[in-house]
Amino acid sequence: MDKLQQLSENINKKESQLLSEFATRNDSAVRINPESDIHYRPPYALDRDRIFYSGAFKRYTGKTQVIYFASMLDEQLTSRIVHTLSVAQIAKTIGRLLSLNTDLIDAIALGHDLGHPPFGHDGEKFLSDVSRKYNIGHFHHNIQSLRVVDVIAKKGKGMNLTFQTRDGILSHNGEAHNQVLQPNTDKKETDLIEYINNMSNGKSVDMMPSTLEGCVVRLTDTIAYIGQDIEDAIRIGLIKREDLPREAASVLGIYNGKIIETLVNDVALNSEGKNYVCFSEKISRALLELKRFNYKNIYKSEKLKINHEKIERGFYLLFENYLRQLEEEDKSSEIYRHFLNYKLDAYFRYNSKELIVRDFIAGMTDRYFIEMLQKLLIPEISSYKIEN
């Protein structure tokens, strides 16, 4: 046996002995396309590295978390990369306390938002509206994240990640509020396909991760953003710290660090030795109250919607423009020079022009989106009307 391979197997064996009975073992990893190459990294560590070195991961840096435009002027405001790394770090802390597979947690956390379009959840809504106009279904960033790793990355070949990582990425819905998350260990590839079809067709359905590690990431998504979004909103003067709901603040704290500490401690203490992860009832109630406060006073604040209409129109204009350039086979267009020229022919053959345009726009950073709009379409914005 190769000495390096033997060393790797010895380490993997030792690490496996430290895992909880409910943790995901490395030997359970399943890929759609089996790989014959010998890898010295464990399978989920390999997934993590494939995500980490991808172009989509690099573009996290230029994507909005919540506050767009202002984040271009104030670099201490949270970007998508800061949120993603926060999820990974917090989730690994919880996973370590619960003796779970932290490589799998890392892979899911780093990949969970790869499909987020520019301008955060507003951009997601706008791109979904455009998608329905062009009959390609509703757009959801978690589905697009899976599409990135399966269909778009590596010139259109995909990363060939494990089922467990892909499932965790698709099932990460941090917007939903759950006190308890228990994995659905019977899930299969057909369950992922059914979920994607339902969501794309406008049905509101939920899906539990297949692993406890996926449940940890899903719970942590909320832990990572809830307090950080408050800090950003205070920083730009949108809210004041004394505006926080009194009862929730007394339970969770009023600063991001304290909120994270309270939530992490509660999850760890209430989930140890169990086949699920959960908050205590008291903490869950306080978290839900704080989440409702954030939605009302931050995410839906009219003060953050100053350029809302222009950005919405921009999504329609860019989509229409790139679709026309594809139909005309305009090889001088950015969609060819910055996207399609780096894809294998199969990507073009097996995806409709509308899906290709959506993939291109969803992958844009905020700055690139604005540059393309200024370069190509700004003169038309004032007279453009969105068709229902």
Side-chain angles (χ1 to χ4, degrees), residues 128 131-132 135-140 143 193-205 358:
S128 187
S131 296
R132 294 199 300 277
N135 300 313
I136 52 175
H138 293 245
F139 176 87
H140 299 279
I143 295 176
I193 296 170
E194 181 181 3
Y195 170 83
I196 290 170
N197 289 337
N198 283 331
M199 292 291 285
S200 298
N201 289 325
K203 295 180 181 178
S204 181
V205 295
R358 187 167 78 177

Side-chain angles (χ1 to χ4, degrees), residues 107-358:
I108 295 170
L110 294 183
H112 82 282
D113 271 355
L114 289 176
H116 237 301
F119 305 108
H121 288 284
D122 286 340
E124 183 173 9
K125 178 186 179 302
F126 301 151
L127 192 51
S128 187
D129 292 342
V130 179
S131 296
R132 294 199 300 277
K133 176 184 176 182
Y134 286 94
N135 300 313
I136 52 175
H138 293 245
F139 176 87
H140 299 279
H141 79 271
N142 60 321
I143 295 176
Q144 187 68 13
S145 295
L146 184 64
R147 185 170 167 80
V148 168
V149 301
D150 279 357
V151 178
I152 302 172
K154 298 189 73 172
K155 300 184 177 181
K157 292 188 299 182
M159 300 181 192
N160 195 32
L161 303 183
T162 63
F163 171 83
Q164 290 82 355
T165 296
R166 295 170 55 249
D167 167 75
I169 289 172
L170 186 62
S171 307
H172 81 262
N173 190 4
E175 285 72 54
H177 184 78
N178 302 97
Q179 181 184 348
V180 180
L181 288 175
Q182 184 167 11
N184 176 5
T185 56
D186 295 327
K187 282 174 73 175
K188 300 178 177 61
E189 188 70 30
T190 52
D191 295 310
L192 307 193
I193 296 170
E194 181 181 3
Y195 170 83
I196 290 170
N197 289 337
N198 283 331
M199 292 291 285
S200 298
N201 289 325
K203 295 180 181 178
S204 181
V205 295
D206 198 6
M207 182 174 68
M208 288 297 110
S210 65
T211 65
L212 202 53
E213 288 81 1
C215 291
V216 167
V217 174
R218 176 164 165 160
L219 213 63
T220 303
D221 194 16
T222 299
I223 296 174
Y225 76 66
I226 194 74
Q228 189 58 64
D229 292 348
I230 289 170
E231 297 294 346
D232 286 348
I234 291 173
R235 185 175 178 84
I236 66 169
L238 190 62
I239 62 172
K240 297 178 181 178
R241 207 170 296 277
E242 52 265 32
D243 295 333
L244 298 179
R246 185 173 302 176
E247 185 175 345
S250 67
V251 173
L252 301 177
I254 61 173
Y255 295 96
N256 185 39
K258 181 61 178 176
I259 292 171
I260 290 174
E261 180 184 19
T262 302
L263 294 172
V264 168
N265 291 350
D266 188 71
V267 170
L269 289 171
N270 286 281
S271 307
E272 182 186 11
K274 297 182 175 68
N275 65 341
Y276 57 83
V277 290
C278 71
F279 294 114
S280 65
E281 187 175 341
K282 178 181 179 181
I283 292 293
S284 181
R285 281 200 311 269
L287 179 58
L288 180 58
E289 184 183 4
L290 195 58
K291 188 179 286 188
R292 286 171 175 166
F293 171 85
N294 278 20
Y295 271 91
K296 179 181 178 181
N297 297 281
I298 302 175
Y299 312 138
K300 294 182 180 297
S301 171
E302 290 302 317
K303 295 179 181 178
L304 286 184
K305 311 299 182 185
I306 297 173
N307 295 289
H308 200 265
E309 187 175 335
K310 289 182 180 179
I311 295 170
E312 182 178 12
R313 290 175 178 174
F315 274 91
Y316 280 87
L317 290 168
L318 284 179
F319 200 104
E320 181 182 84
N321 181 74
Y322 291 128
L323 185 59
R324 181 176 65 249
Q325 290 175 338
L326 277 183
E327 291 170 345
E328 295 173 353
E329 297 187 5
D330 181 2
K331 300 298 177 67
S332 66
S333 167
E334 282 81 6
I335 195 169
Y336 281 96
R337 294 188 296 107
H338 298 168
F339 188 64
L340 281 175
N341 289 351
Y342 296 93
K343 294 286 181 282
L344 299 171
D345 290 341
Y347 171 79
F348 194 91
R349 286 199 308 270
Y350 295 124
N351 293 284
S352 68
K353 290 182 174 63
E354 290 81 6
L355 276 177
I356 290 171
V357 171
R358 187 167 78 177

Side-chain angles (χ1 to χ4, degrees), residues 64-99:
T64 290
Q65 175 64 12
V66 172
I67 302 169
Y68 43 82
F69 292 126
S71 60
M72 296 182 182
L73 304 175
D74 186 344
E75 293 179 345
Q76 283 192 224
L77 291 172
T78 306
S79 63
R80 188 65 56 181
I81 187 65
V82 172
H83 167 70
T84 298
L85 294 177
S86 295
V87 172
Q89 291 301 105
I90 297 167
K92 283 186 291 184
T93 297
I94 295 172
R96 191 169 291 111
L97 289 169
L98 300 179
S99 299

